[in-house]
Amino acid sequence: MATSLLLSPQPLAFSKFSVPTKNVAVSSQRATRFVAKAKNNDENKDDKGFTPFSFVTDNPSSRSAIQLPESPAEDGNVGQMLYRIEDKGKDYGSYVKSGKLRWFVRETGSPESRRGTVVFLHGAPTQSYSYRVVMSQMSDAGFHCFAPDWIGFGFSDKPQPGYGFDYTEEEFHEELDKLLDVLEVKSPFFLVVQGFLVGSYGLTWALKNPDKISKLSILNTPLTVSSPIPGLFQKLRIPLFGEFTSQNAVMAERFIEAGSAYVLKLEKADVYRLPYLASSGPGFALLEAARKINFRDISSQIADGFSSGRWDKPVLIAWGMADKYLPQSIAEEFRKQNPNSVELKLIEGAGHMPQEDWPEKVVDALRMFF
């Protein structure tokens, strides 16, 4: 299987037989203009113009991943970078076999925890690593917590489409049911969902299984048909360009930072980058899932399914106010559809992933609600 490459600029050596001096000068001038243009684009944060290089030119963390250090030999090749970070990010996690697939599942607390079980579901293109701090603090408060990496994401299996898993909503639901049985999660339990695509599938799973859920908490997730679709998922649906986009090793960290007011620390960015750097599998899994989903249809199902008269379980929306993908109005509109069951808690200072930006505030909200 092909390996996703994270490219570092390398000095070029020209022999007298290779490239004429005039062409080298022209290339140097073009490179200078390109660097100046990238710098101008970075300084202009309001410029929404399309650029295929946006993932690696618009934020400090992603740029640092490909910058040439003062001593190039210290940086190493892709294999050396993988060796440096391959053991990172598996906090509280282990591999769980469910049917023919192997899930990576994080677990804190124990089945005897007095306050019940919480299942955390992440969105695309991220992984359960985002819940590590929340899970740790929730177990300290007496909860038993599980957070799986969805199939195709993080450290879970990434089967090739057409060979046992096709990345459809129905298949994600079926495999989640099997996993919950293997984990012996007793119903009803508390469910926490966040994010796009597989995050939305977590909510449609809840609509199909209301008897399995005691209370539901939703972090920033598309909830209405007016929910915008981020540019990443639009790019993935473009033939050929989607394939190119899916193999960008800094895609996940770039997506997180673009939806937040913060830049990830390098050690966190390493973990989100690792699956996409180690293999082409995660990128092609995301590509397949993004092309199979009908975003508007799923959002419509969620808005209708959780409206008054159709859903009566308690729901807490813990919403990061600084989300650059989903405005606060999405959460407010959703709450108006079922004000008797839905409670809205705004988290100031947090962006699209409140569990990563400000986990302590998320824990406070969840403890009060559960």
Side-chain angles (χ1 to χ4, degrees), residues 11-15 18:
L12 301 177
F14 299 100
S15 73
S18 57

Side-chain angles (χ1 to χ4, degrees), residues 22-40:
K22 179 179 178 180
N23 288 348
V24 173
V26 171
S27 297
S28 177
Q29 291 171 1
R30 289 175 178 170
T32 301
R33 287 197 299 270
F34 175 79
V35 170
K37 181 177 180 181
K39 182 177 180 181
N40 289 337

